[in-house]
PDB file of all heavy atoms in Angstrom:
ATOM      1  N   GLU A  10       0.612   2.194  -0.887  1.00 70.00           N
ATOM      2  CA  GLU A  10       1.398   3.428  -0.984  1.00 70.00           C
ATOM      3  C   GLU A  10       1.040   4.364   0.088  1.00 70.00           C
ATOM      4  O   GLU A  10      -0.170   4.473   0.478  1.00 70.00           O
ATOM      5  CB  GLU A  10       1.191   4.080  -2.354  1.00 70.00           C
ATOM      6  CG  GLU A  10       1.805   3.301  -3.495  1.00 70.00           C
ATOM      7  CD  GLU A  10       1.836   4.093  -4.774  1.00 70.00           C
ATOM      8  OE1 GLU A  10       1.177   5.195  -4.850  1.00 70.00           O
ATOM      9  OE2 GLU A  10       2.474   3.632  -5.729  1.00 70.00           O
ATOM     10  N   ILE A  13       2.956  10.166   1.207  1.00 95.00           N
ATOM     11  CA  ILE A  13       4.191  10.748   0.685  1.00 95.00           C
ATOM     12  C   ILE A  13       4.533  10.175  -0.682  1.00 95.00           C
ATOM     13  O   ILE A  13       4.819  10.911  -1.631  1.00 95.00           O
ATOM     14  CB  ILE A  13       5.312  10.613   1.667  1.00 95.00           C
ATOM     15  CG1 ILE A  13       5.126  11.566   2.856  1.00 95.00           C
ATOM     16  CG2 ILE A  13       6.694  10.852   1.015  1.00 95.00           C
ATOM     17  CD1 ILE A  13       6.099  11.453   3.985  1.00 95.00           C
ATOM     18  N   VAL A  20       3.698  14.690  -8.427  1.00 98.00           N
ATOM     19  CA  VAL A  20       4.710  15.642  -8.945  1.00 98.00           C
ATOM     20  C   VAL A  20       5.467  15.060 -10.119  1.00 98.00           C
ATOM     21  O   VAL A  20       5.705  15.743 -11.138  1.00 98.00           O
ATOM     22  CB  VAL A  20       5.670  16.080  -7.807  1.00 98.00           C
ATOM     23  CG1 VAL A  20       6.800  16.955  -8.371  1.00 98.00           C
ATOM     24  CG2 VAL A  20       4.903  16.830  -6.713  1.00 98.00           C
ATOM     25  N   ARG A  21       5.798  13.757 -10.112  1.00 98.00           N
ATOM     26  CA  ARG A  21       6.454  13.150 -11.259  1.00 98.00           C
ATOM     27  C   ARG A  21       5.503  13.183 -12.449  1.00 98.00           C
ATOM     28  O   ARG A  21       5.944  13.518 -13.567  1.00 98.00           O
ATOM     29  CB  ARG A  21       6.863  11.699 -10.968  1.00 98.00           C
ATOM     30  CG  ARG A  21       8.113  11.577 -10.118  1.00 98.00           C
ATOM     31  CD  ARG A  21       8.636  10.110 -10.068  1.00 98.00           C
ATOM     32  NE  ARG A  21       7.641   9.179  -9.609  1.00 98.00           N
ATOM     33  CZ  ARG A  21       7.439   8.887  -8.345  1.00 98.00           C
ATOM     34  NH1 ARG A  21       8.110   9.499  -7.381  1.00 98.00           N
ATOM     35  NH2 ARG A  21       6.524   7.938  -8.016  1.00 98.00           N
ATOM     36  N   PHE A  23       3.089  15.377 -13.040  1.00 98.00           N
ATOM     37  CA  PHE A  23       2.980  16.746 -13.513  1.00 98.00           C
ATOM     38  C   PHE A  23       4.203  17.071 -14.386  1.00 98.00           C
ATOM     39  O   PHE A  23       4.096  17.639 -15.440  1.00 98.00           O
ATOM     40  CB  PHE A  23       2.901  17.677 -12.291  1.00 98.00           C
ATOM     41  CG  PHE A  23       2.714  19.110 -12.666  1.00 98.00           C
ATOM     42  CD1 PHE A  23       1.413  19.626 -12.692  1.00 98.00           C
ATOM     43  CD2 PHE A  23       3.786  19.930 -12.951  1.00 98.00           C
ATOM     44  CE1 PHE A  23       1.178  20.957 -13.071  1.00 98.00           C
ATOM     45  CE2 PHE A  23       3.555  21.264 -13.311  1.00 98.00           C
ATOM     46  CZ  PHE A  23       2.260  21.774 -13.356  1.00 98.00           C
ATOM     47  N   ASN A  24       5.378  16.696 -13.904  1.00 98.00           N
ATOM     48  CA  ASN A  24       6.585  16.988 -14.693  1.00 98.00           C
ATOM     49  C   ASN A  24       6.644  16.290 -16.008  1.00 98.00           C
ATOM     50  O   ASN A  24       7.012  16.892 -17.037  1.00 98.00           O
ATOM     51  CB  ASN A  24       7.852  16.689 -13.825  1.00 98.00           C
ATOM     52  CG  ASN A  24       8.165  17.781 -12.889  1.00 98.00           C
ATOM     53  OD1 ASN A  24       8.891  18.737 -13.240  1.00 98.00           O
ATOM     54  ND2 ASN A  24       7.678  17.690 -11.660  1.00 98.00           N
ATOM     55  N   VAL A  27       2.648  17.271 -17.959  1.00 97.00           N
ATOM     56  CA  VAL A  27       2.315  18.691 -18.134  1.00 97.00           C
ATOM     57  C   VAL A  27       3.518  19.448 -18.696  1.00 97.00           C
ATOM     58  O   VAL A  27       3.396  20.056 -19.776  1.00 97.00           O
ATOM     59  CB  VAL A  27       1.807  19.315 -16.800  1.00 97.00           C
ATOM     60  CG1 VAL A  27       1.566  20.797 -16.968  1.00 97.00           C
ATOM     61  CG2 VAL A  27       0.533  18.618 -16.328  1.00 97.00           C
ATOM     62  N   ASN A  32       0.451  18.407 -21.773  1.00 96.00           N
ATOM     63  CA  ASN A  32      -0.911  17.827 -21.685  1.00 96.00           C
ATOM     64  C   ASN A  32      -1.822  18.634 -20.786  1.00 96.00           C
ATOM     65  O   ASN A  32      -1.654  18.660 -19.570  1.00 96.00           O
ATOM     66  CB  ASN A  32      -0.773  16.396 -21.168  1.00 96.00           C
ATOM     67  CG  ASN A  32      -2.040  15.624 -21.198  1.00 96.00           C
ATOM     68  OD1 ASN A  32      -3.118  16.134 -20.893  1.00 96.00           O
ATOM     69  ND2 ASN A  32      -1.968  14.357 -21.598  1.00 96.00           N
ATOM     70  N   ASN A  37      -5.242  20.005 -15.875  1.00 97.00           N
ATOM     71  CA  ASN A  37      -6.522  20.198 -15.204  1.00 97.00           C
ATOM     72  C   ASN A  37      -6.781  19.191 -14.127  1.00 97.00           C
ATOM     73  O   ASN A  37      -7.398  19.499 -13.087  1.00 97.00           O
ATOM     74  CB  ASN A  37      -7.621  20.198 -16.266  1.00 97.00           C
ATOM     75  CG  ASN A  37      -7.566  21.452 -17.150  1.00 97.00           C
ATOM     76  OD1 ASN A  37      -7.081  22.513 -16.752  1.00 97.00           O
ATOM     77  ND2 ASN A  37      -8.023  21.306 -18.381  1.00 97.00           N
ATOM     78  N   LEU A  39      -4.523  17.669 -12.276  1.00 98.00           N
ATOM     79  CA  LEU A  39      -3.542  17.795 -11.222  1.00 98.00           C
ATOM     80  C   LEU A  39      -3.507  19.124 -10.502  1.00 98.00           C
ATOM     81  O   LEU A  39      -2.852  19.293  -9.483  1.00 98.00           O
ATOM     82  CB  LEU A  39      -2.178  17.458 -11.707  1.00 98.00           C
ATOM     83  CG  LEU A  39      -1.946  16.049 -12.260  1.00 98.00           C
ATOM     84  CD1 LEU A  39      -0.634  15.897 -12.943  1.00 98.00           C
ATOM     85  CD2 LEU A  39      -2.102  15.012 -11.142  1.00 98.00           C
ATOM     86  N   ASN A  55      -0.564  34.373 -10.824  1.00 97.00           N
ATOM     87  CA  ASN A  55       0.001  33.374  -9.915  1.00 97.00           C
ATOM     88  C   ASN A  55      -0.917  32.251  -9.692  1.00 97.00           C
ATOM     89  O   ASN A  55      -0.724  31.389  -8.804  1.00 97.00           O
ATOM     90  CB  ASN A  55       0.487  34.020  -8.616  1.00 97.00           C
ATOM     91  CG  ASN A  55      -0.691  34.477  -7.766  1.00 97.00           C
ATOM     92  OD1 ASN A  55      -1.817  34.594  -8.196  1.00 97.00           O
ATOM     93  ND2 ASN A  55      -0.358  34.771  -6.528  1.00 97.00           N
ATOM     94  N   ILE A  61       0.013  27.314 -16.555  1.00 95.00           N
ATOM     95  CA  ILE A  61      -0.064  26.605 -17.850  1.00 95.00           C
ATOM     96  C   ILE A  61       0.366  27.540 -18.985  1.00 95.00           C
ATOM     97  O   ILE A  61       0.915  27.092 -19.971  1.00 95.00           O
ATOM     98  CB  ILE A  61      -1.477  25.982 -18.098  1.00 95.00           C
ATOM     99  CG1 ILE A  61      -1.446  24.961 -19.209  1.00 95.00           C
ATOM    100  CG2 ILE A  61      -2.530  27.039 -18.331  1.00 95.00           C
ATOM    101  CD1 ILE A  61      -0.636  23.725 -18.939  1.00 95.00           C
ATOM    102  N   GLN A  82      13.992  13.745  -5.476  1.00 98.00           N
ATOM    103  CA  GLN A  82      12.738  14.153  -4.875  1.00 98.00           C
ATOM    104  C   GLN A  82      12.834  13.847  -3.394  1.00 98.00           C
ATOM    105  O   GLN A  82      13.253  12.766  -3.024  1.00 98.00           O
ATOM    106  CB  GLN A  82      11.514  13.439  -5.447  1.00 98.00           C
ATOM    107  CG  GLN A  82      10.959  13.979  -6.695  1.00 98.00           C
ATOM    108  CD  GLN A  82       9.664  13.327  -7.047  1.00 98.00           C
ATOM    109  OE1 GLN A  82       9.551  12.092  -7.105  1.00 98.00           O
ATOM    110  NE2 GLN A  82       8.644  14.129  -7.288  1.00 98.00           N
ATOM    111  N   ALA A  84      10.308  14.319   0.166  1.00 97.00           N
ATOM    112  CA  ALA A  84       8.947  14.672   0.576  1.00 97.00           C
ATOM    113  C   ALA A  84       8.774  14.473   2.044  1.00 97.00           C
ATOM    114  O   ALA A  84       9.369  13.554   2.662  1.00 97.00           O
ATOM    115  CB  ALA A  84       7.930  13.844  -0.206  1.00 97.00           C
ATOM    116  N   VAL A  89       6.413  18.300  -1.423  1.00 98.00           N
ATOM    117  CA  VAL A  89       7.365  17.508  -2.251  1.00 98.00           C
ATOM    118  C   VAL A  89       8.389  18.518  -2.844  1.00 98.00           C
ATOM    119  O   VAL A  89       7.957  19.470  -3.482  1.00 98.00           O
ATOM    120  CB  VAL A  89       6.672  16.736  -3.387  1.00 98.00           C
ATOM    121  CG1 VAL A  89       7.705  16.000  -4.236  1.00 98.00           C
ATOM    122  CG2 VAL A  89       5.606  15.794  -2.837  1.00 98.00           C
ATOM    123  N   THR A  91      11.534  18.879  -5.485  1.00 98.00           N
ATOM    124  CA  THR A  91      12.098  18.212  -6.667  1.00 98.00           C
ATOM    125  C   THR A  91      13.237  19.049  -7.232  1.00 98.00           C
ATOM    126  O   THR A  91      13.114  20.242  -7.369  1.00 98.00           O
ATOM    127  CB  THR A  91      11.022  17.997  -7.733  1.00 98.00           C
ATOM    128  OG1 THR A  91       9.946  17.301  -7.167  1.00 98.00           O
ATOM    129  CG2 THR A  91      11.601  17.247  -8.922  1.00 98.00           C
ATOM    130  N   ILE A  95      15.265  21.092 -17.062  1.00 98.00           N
ATOM    131  CA  ILE A  95      14.401  21.248 -18.195  1.00 98.00           C
ATOM    132  C   ILE A  95      15.348  21.646 -19.303  1.00 98.00           C
ATOM    133  O   ILE A  95      16.072  22.628 -19.213  1.00 98.00           O
ATOM    134  CB  ILE A  95      13.296  22.298 -17.988  1.00 98.00           C
ATOM    135  CG1 ILE A  95      12.392  21.911 -16.805  1.00 98.00           C
ATOM    136  CG2 ILE A  95      12.528  22.530 -19.255  1.00 98.00           C
ATOM    137  CD1 ILE A  95      11.420  22.996 -16.398  1.00 98.00           C
ATOM    138  N   THR A 100      14.547  26.802 -30.377  1.00 97.00           N
ATOM    139  CA  THR A 100      14.320  27.114 -31.790  1.00 97.00           C
ATOM    140  C   THR A 100      13.326  28.235 -31.956  1.00 97.00           C
ATOM    141  O   THR A 100      12.997  28.659 -33.129  1.00 97.00           O
ATOM    142  CB  THR A 100      13.792  25.871 -32.575  1.00 97.00           C
ATOM    143  OG1 THR A 100      12.621  25.422 -31.943  1.00 97.00           O
ATOM    144  CG2 THR A 100      14.862  24.766 -32.548  1.00 97.00           C
ATOM    145  N   LEU A 104      10.811  34.220 -24.004  1.00 93.00           N
ATOM    146  CA  LEU A 104      10.601  35.405 -23.132  1.00 93.00           C
ATOM    147  C   LEU A 104      11.373  36.629 -23.643  1.00 93.00           C
ATOM    148  O   LEU A 104      12.069  37.277 -22.889  1.00 93.00           O
ATOM    149  CB  LEU A 104      10.946  35.073 -21.679  1.00 93.00           C
ATOM    150  CG  LEU A 104      10.069  33.956 -21.046  1.00 93.00           C
ATOM    151  CD1 LEU A 104      10.606  33.571 -19.696  1.00 93.00           C
ATOM    152  CD2 LEU A 104       8.614  34.383 -20.966  1.00 93.00           C
ATOM    153  N   ILE A 113      19.683  24.269 -24.599  1.00 97.00           N
ATOM    154  CA  ILE A 113      19.751  24.995 -23.299  1.00 97.00           C
ATOM    155  C   ILE A 113      19.211  24.144 -22.181  1.00 97.00           C
ATOM    156  O   ILE A 113      18.442  23.189 -22.408  1.00 97.00           O
ATOM    157  CB  ILE A 113      18.970  26.329 -23.402  1.00 97.00           C
ATOM    158  CG1 ILE A 113      17.493  26.075 -23.682  1.00 97.00           C
ATOM    159  CG2 ILE A 113      19.589  27.260 -24.461  1.00 97.00           C
ATOM    160  CD1 ILE A 113      16.625  27.307 -23.590  1.00 97.00           C
ATOM    161  N   ARG A 122       3.060  21.942  -2.566  1.00 98.00           N
ATOM    162  CA  ARG A 122       2.142  21.380  -1.550  1.00 98.00           C
ATOM    163  C   ARG A 122       1.031  20.704  -2.296  1.00 98.00           C
ATOM    164  O   ARG A 122       0.411  21.285  -3.148  1.00 98.00           O
ATOM    165  CB  ARG A 122       1.620  22.476  -0.634  1.00 98.00           C
ATOM    166  CG  ARG A 122       0.826  21.893   0.557  1.00 98.00           C
ATOM    167  CD  ARG A 122       0.624  22.934   1.688  1.00 98.00           C
ATOM    168  NE  ARG A 122      -0.293  24.001   1.257  1.00 98.00           N
ATOM    169  CZ  ARG A 122      -1.610  23.951   1.357  1.00 98.00           C
ATOM    170  NH1 ARG A 122      -2.199  22.872   1.789  1.00 98.00           N
ATOM    171  NH2 ARG A 122      -2.293  25.013   0.959  1.00 98.00           N
ATOM    172  N   GLY A 126      -4.239  14.935  -3.998  1.00 97.00           N
ATOM    173  CA  GLY A 126      -3.671  14.595  -5.256  1.00 97.00           C
ATOM    174  C   GLY A 126      -3.547  15.718  -6.272  1.00 97.00           C
ATOM    175  O   GLY A 126      -3.336  15.462  -7.428  1.00 97.00           O
ATOM    176  N   HIS A 131       2.991  26.368  -4.894  1.00 98.00           N
ATOM    177  CA  HIS A 131       4.307  26.061  -5.472  1.00 98.00           C
ATOM    178  C   HIS A 131       5.294  27.218  -5.125  1.00 98.00           C
ATOM    179  O   HIS A 131       4.869  28.366  -5.123  1.00 98.00           O
ATOM    180  CB  HIS A 131       4.138  25.999  -7.026  1.00 98.00           C
ATOM    181  CG  HIS A 131       5.468  26.015  -7.725  1.00 98.00           C
ATOM    182  ND1 HIS A 131       6.056  27.180  -8.225  1.00 98.00           N
ATOM    183  CD2 HIS A 131       6.299  24.998  -8.035  1.00 98.00           C
ATOM    184  CE1 HIS A 131       7.217  26.867  -8.792  1.00 98.00           C
ATOM    185  NE2 HIS A 131       7.369  25.593  -8.703  1.00 98.00           N
ATOM    186  N   ALA A 145      20.795  36.555 -24.139  1.00 88.00           N
ATOM    187  CA  ALA A 145      20.566  37.905 -24.686  1.00 88.00           C
ATOM    188  C   ALA A 145      21.893  38.533 -25.096  1.00 88.00           C
ATOM    189  O   ALA A 145      21.938  39.344 -26.016  1.00 88.00           O
ATOM    190  CB  ALA A 145      19.868  38.746 -23.682  1.00 88.00           C
TER     191      ALA A 145
END
Side-chain angles (χ1 to χ4, degrees):
E10 290 191 350
I13 287 175
V20 173
R21 282 192 305 274
F23 186 93
N24 278 274
V27 176
N32 188 318
N37 291 331
L39 297 172
N55 70 346
I61 196 65
Q82 277 190 308
V89 179
T91 304
I95 299 171
T100 59
L104 299 172
I113 61 172
R122 188 165 67 86
H131 169 267

